Amino acid sequence: MLIYSTRTDFCKQALRYELHKRPGQDLLVFLPGLRRVGSTRVNYYSRITWSPLFSASCLYVSDPCLDNSRPELRGSWFQGCEEVFAVEQLANDIRAMSSDFNFSEARTVLYGSSQGGFAALALGTYLTAAKVLAECPQSDVRLFNLKTDTSRAAKFCYGVDSISAVPKTFDNRLSLMALYKSIGFAPRNRILVKQTDTHAVDFHVKPLKDAFSNRTDVHVFDGALGEGGHSALPKEIIVDEINALLA
C-alpha cells in the first residue's frame, strides 16, 4: 500500500491529504466531522483506522481551517474564505489526484458524518459522477444546533460574529438546497440517520429528501440502532454501506 501525502494552501487555510493507494480505479474519500473539544490535531483524518477494511484506495481529507493556534475552532463545514470555496478547491484537488493515479469519478464514493456528511453532499455537486454516503449530515450550516461552533467558523471564514450574519451572497455554500437549486443538479446520495437524532431528521434530512426525492435515498434507523441521538452508527453498518456502493 502506497501512502501519499500532499496539501493545498489558500487564504490562511490548508487542505491536507493522505492517500492510501491500492490497485484499481476505485476511490473512497473520507470527509471529517468536527474536531473533538480540546483537540489540537491539525491532520484530523476521520476513520483513518478503517483503511484496511477496503480494497479501494482511501483518500483522507483534513478540515482546512484547523490550526494549532486555534484549538477552540473545531471545524468549518469546508466554507473556505470569501475568495475560495474550500469544497470547490477540494473537488479540483481530487480531480488532479484522480488523473495522477488513474481513479474513476464514476467509481468514487464520498463519505462523511455530520459536518463531513455536509461536505460529502456538497462535494458531490462538483464530482457529478461520484456516489455520496452521508451519515447524520447537516443540509444547512445555519441550522446546526451547536451555535458556538458555527459562530467560530463564521468568524474565521467570513469575518462575521455569527453564521446568520454571513452575507446572503454565500447562501450556496451554507445550504445544500440552495447549492443544488442554483446549478440544477443534486448528486446521487444515500443518507443514514437515527430516529432519535430528531434535529437532523426534521431540520436537515427531511427538507433535503422532500426537495430532491429522486436523487436522495434516506434510511432512518429505529429500535436499538436508532438510539443515541446525534452519534455515529456502528462501524460495521457503514463499512457494509460503503462496500455496497463500491460493488
Side-chain angles (χ1 to χ4, degrees):
M1 177 176 66
L2 168 68
I3 296 179
Y4 165 84
S5 297
T6 189
R7 61 183 278 168
T8 297
D9 294 288
F10 58 95
C11 301
K12 296 180 180 179
Q13 304 184 44
L15 281 162
R16 299 173 179 85
Y17 304 99
E18 185 170 307
L19 173 65
H20 297 187
K21 178 68 175 69
R22 298 186 173 94
Q25 293 186 301
D26 293 354
L27 178 64
L28 173 55
V29 181
F30 287 87
L31 287 306
L34 291 175
R35 179 166 60 176
R36 292 184 180 87
V37 175
S39 172
T40 57
R41 288 173 57 195
V42 173
N43 57 334
Y44 183 67
Y45 295 133
S46 181
R47 313 293 198 255
I48 197 165
T49 59
W50 294 13
S51 179
L53 301 175
F54 303 102
S55 59
S57 294
C58 295
L59 177 66
Y60 291 92
V61 183
S62 70
D63 189 304
C65 80
L66 299 188
D67 186 306
N68 283 337
S69 67
R70 298 182 295 272
E72 76 285 353
L73 190 58
R74 301 205 298 138
S76 67
W77 285 267
F78 285 75
Q79 292 298 295
C81 59
E82 291 189 30
E83 297 81 8
V84 179
F85 185 22
V87 172
E88 189 170 4
Q89 181 61 58
L90 173 58
N92 291 336
D93 288 355
I94 290 175
R95 290 191 193 101
M97 278 184 266
S98 295
S99 177
D100 290 344
F101 293 100
N102 195 34
F103 299 130
S104 166
E105 187 173 309
R107 298 291 304 165
T108 295
V109 172
L110 313 173
Y111 162 73
S113 178
S114 192
Q115 173 195 248
F118 172 88
L121 287 161
L123 184 59
T125 310
Y126 295 91
L127 302 177
T128 57
K131 300 174 185 177
V132 179
L133 179 66
E135 182 183 359
C136 58
Q138 288 85 58
S139 62
D140 191 320
V141 182
R142 294 165 297 193
L143 300 180
F144 187 56
N145 53 0
L146 297 180
K147 298 304 181 186
T148 299
D149 288 315
T150 57
S151 293
R152 287 170 176 164
K155 183 70 173 179
F156 177 71
C157 297
Y158 296 107
V160 296
D161 290 332
S162 70
I163 200 70
S164 61
V166 175
K168 288 189 67 62
T169 52
F170 298 109
D171 279 0
N172 290 359
R173 299 187 186 183
L174 297 171
S175 165
L176 294 176
M177 285 181 283
L179 177 63
Y180 295 170
K181 288 179 179 178
S182 69
I183 63 175
F185 176 81
R188 292 175 293 169
N189 66 87
R190 179 162 168 78
I191 296 176
L192 311 178
V193 65
K194 295 180 178 181
Q195 185 181 44
T196 52
D197 192 355
T198 54
H199 183 82
V201 171
D202 294 340
F203 291 93
H204 296 285
V205 176
K206 187 178 184 299
L208 198 63
K209 173 65 174 176
D210 289 346
F212 301 98
S213 59
N214 61 327
R215 302 291 283 176
T216 302
D217 176 28
V218 177
H219 185 163
V220 180
F221 290 85
D222 57 11
L225 288 177
E227 297 173 357
H230 194 66
S231 58
L233 286 159
K235 176 174 69 175
E236 294 76 13
I237 288 177
I238 304 301
V239 171
D240 286 348
E241 291 275 353
I242 290 172
N243 281 327
L245 291 175
L246 288 168

